[in-house]
Amino acid sequence: MWADDFYRSLKKNNHLITETNAQTTGWDPRGQYPPFDGQARLFVYSHLAGGANMVEYWHWHSIHYGQETYWKGVIGHDLEPNRFYNEFSKTAHELRKIGPKLVNLKIKNRAAILYSRASDFGLSYMPIKEGNAYMEVLRQMHRAAFRQNIGVDFVLAENADFTGYDLLFVPPLYVASDELLQNISAFVKNGGHVIMSVKSGFCDENNVVRHVRAPGPLREVCGFFYQEFSSASSIPLKEDPFKAGQNNITKTWIEFLIPETAKPLAFYDDPFFGKYPAITENRFGKGSLIYQGCLVSDEIQSSLVSQKARETGLISEENHITYPVVIRHGTNDYGRTIRYYLNYSDKSASIVYSSNKGTNLFSNSSLKKGDEIMIDPWGVVIVEE
């Protein structure tokens, strides 16, 4: 789903999925995992819920020789209808009826992820770990929001505009101009909230390390400075402050944060690193900035996102629905709100409908606030208000 959010934001309009998987994938017979019953249909509606106007497969029928022999299409090697084809056909017939109500979905979110292509490249050339740390954190932040039903857009660093957003996620902003960092500071000062990862503010727009204490122009809004950093293995946090259990760990990188106005939220459980806060929060103007001076586990990231989303009113304390049921919504061409209820689970799900009176587009039955919605395993319910 992060790709739908990314390309919708990049285009600033609805997008097309020109190539997605049908049956199994692979350049050889290893790792052949066909979708379970219902998943093919679920994935089509997942793309539409993210703003896609078309879902197209690579490819129609499985080829009989060459590199992609085992990258199977809608039709198998026997060229006959099969289990996947039947589900594909069912979905196509549904879309023939209700597609006009789903196309051109306009999505407006209050949270965004700042994407910096320069930082992505910069950390690839000066990596802090094996693999791409930038994309790892970006996807982790998106995953934490997605699993808590917080809709997000992507804002590009080249022309960043934070207007209309309440919560901003910032993966390692390793390469950035003073102007961009000042825009982030102004966003917080004017009431925005930020969750920011390591290495942010370290280099200027030319990938040159700044001649001042890190995090450079972000020092005031972050409320700390640091002069040292260290590679690290897994280190737990003292007293498990985010209730992450066995996943109460930080890893890879440690910045020796020295708070000035920032409040420490967590410390390392370590005889040396323990004197430095691992995660801080600084109140600045009308807003706040949470900074992670290390890489964190999914569970810690999720706890931080949940805490800040509740504070900003993006999610409610009562009747908050989380993964495996994912809810997405937007406005269609008729000015009606369309709500998708997607069950990413092999078990049936029951939720309480909490929106305005609507119609289940599959069953044509009416729904009102307080009604129960049953969703099949790997199923989907779409409501038009």
Side-chain angles (χ1 to χ4, degrees), residues 162-269:
F162 307 130
T163 305
Y165 295 111
D166 299 310
L167 180 59
L168 179 67
F169 302 107
V170 182
L173 192 56
Y174 183 60
V175 178
S177 66
D178 287 3
E179 181 183 8
L180 176 57
L181 302 184
Q182 289 161 4
N183 285 345
I184 294 173
S185 296
F187 171 74
V188 176
K189 189 173 184 178
N190 292 327
H193 299 271
V194 171
I195 298 177
M196 180 179 284
S197 188
V198 296
K199 300 296 286 182
S200 294
F202 198 75
C203 293
D204 68 14
E205 67 272 27
N206 297 310
N207 201 22
V208 175
V209 177
R210 287 186 162 88
H211 297 189
V212 296
R213 294 184 186 184
L218 290 173
R219 180 172 173 177
E220 186 179 16
V221 68
C222 285
F224 64 76
F225 69 86
Y226 68 90
Q227 296 174 289
E228 294 182 86
F229 38 79
S230 174
S231 297
S233 57
S234 296
I235 298 177
L237 296 176
K238 285 182 181 176
E239 300 176 356
D240 192 7
F242 304 107
K243 305 295 184 287
Q246 63 182 5
N247 296 301
N248 175 44
I249 57 169
T250 66
K251 54 189 177 180
T252 303
W253 188 256
I254 290 177
E255 294 166 350
F256 296 11
L257 307 184
I258 300 176
E260 295 177 297
T261 56
K263 172 187 174 184
L265 298 182
F267 286 90
Y268 303 102
D269 192 1

Side-chain angles (χ1 to χ4, degrees), residues 22 35-45 57 84 87-88 91:
F36 298 132
D37 293 341
Q39 284 187 330
R41 175 174 175 264
L42 174 64
F43 295 158
V44 170
Y45 287 115
Y57 292 96
F84 188 94
E87 194 166 311
F88 165 89
T91 308

Side-chain angles (χ1 to χ4, degrees), residues 20-190:
T20 193
N21 298 321
Q23 299 186 61
T24 57
T25 64
W27 284 358
D28 56 47
R30 294 172 294 183
Q32 296 281 291
Y33 301 106
F36 298 132
D37 293 341
Q39 284 187 330
R41 175 174 175 264
L42 174 64
F43 295 158
V44 170
Y45 287 115
S46 294
H47 285 305
L48 299 180
N53 270 0
M54 181 185 78
V55 178
E56 187 174 62
Y57 292 96
W58 174 256
H59 39 326
W60 175 244
H61 77 73
S62 305
I63 60 176
H64 297 82
Y65 62 90
Q67 184 68 71
E68 294 190 335
T69 299
Y70 289 94
W71 204 295
K72 296 187 68 180
V74 175
I75 299 295
H77 292 117
D78 56 18
L79 307 182
E80 295 182 11
N82 54 45
R83 183 175 65 89
F84 188 94
Y85 172 85
N86 292 336
E87 194 166 311
F88 165 89
S89 177
K90 173 186 177 180
T91 308
H93 281 85
E94 289 173 346
L95 290 174
R96 187 176 184 181
K97 294 179 180 179
I98 67 174
K101 294 185 176 183
L102 307 182
V103 75
N104 296 327
L105 192 70
K106 300 306 176 190
I107 298 170
K108 184 175 177 57
N109 293 311
R110 293 169 54 197
I113 297 175
L114 178 64
Y115 174 67
S116 166
R117 188 166 179 264
S119 295
D120 187 357
F121 281 10
L123 276 183
S124 295
Y125 286 106
M126 289 291 179
I128 61 174
K129 65 183 292 293
E130 292 296 324
N132 189 329
Y134 184 87
M135 289 304 298
E136 178 182 306
V137 176
L138 182 149
R139 292 194 183 204
Q140 183 190 61
M141 287 176 163
H142 184 276
R143 188 164 56 246
F146 177 76
R147 287 174 169 257
Q148 296 181 67
N149 286 314
I150 302 166
V152 298
D153 299 328
F154 282 83
V155 173
L156 304 186
E158 291 83 355
N159 53 0
D161 182 359
F162 307 130
T163 305
Y165 295 111
D166 299 310
L167 180 59
L168 179 67
F169 302 107
V170 182
L173 192 56
Y174 183 60
V175 178
S177 66
D178 287 3
E179 181 183 8
L180 176 57
L181 302 184
Q182 289 161 4
N183 285 345
I184 294 173
S185 296
F187 171 74
V188 176
K189 189 173 184 178
N190 292 327

Side-chain angles (χ1 to χ4, degrees), residues 341-354:
Y341 299 85
L342 306 147
N343 182 12
Y344 292 89
S345 166
D346 61 355
K347 297 178 175 59
S348 296
S350 170
I351 64 169
V352 176
Y353 183 67
S354 59

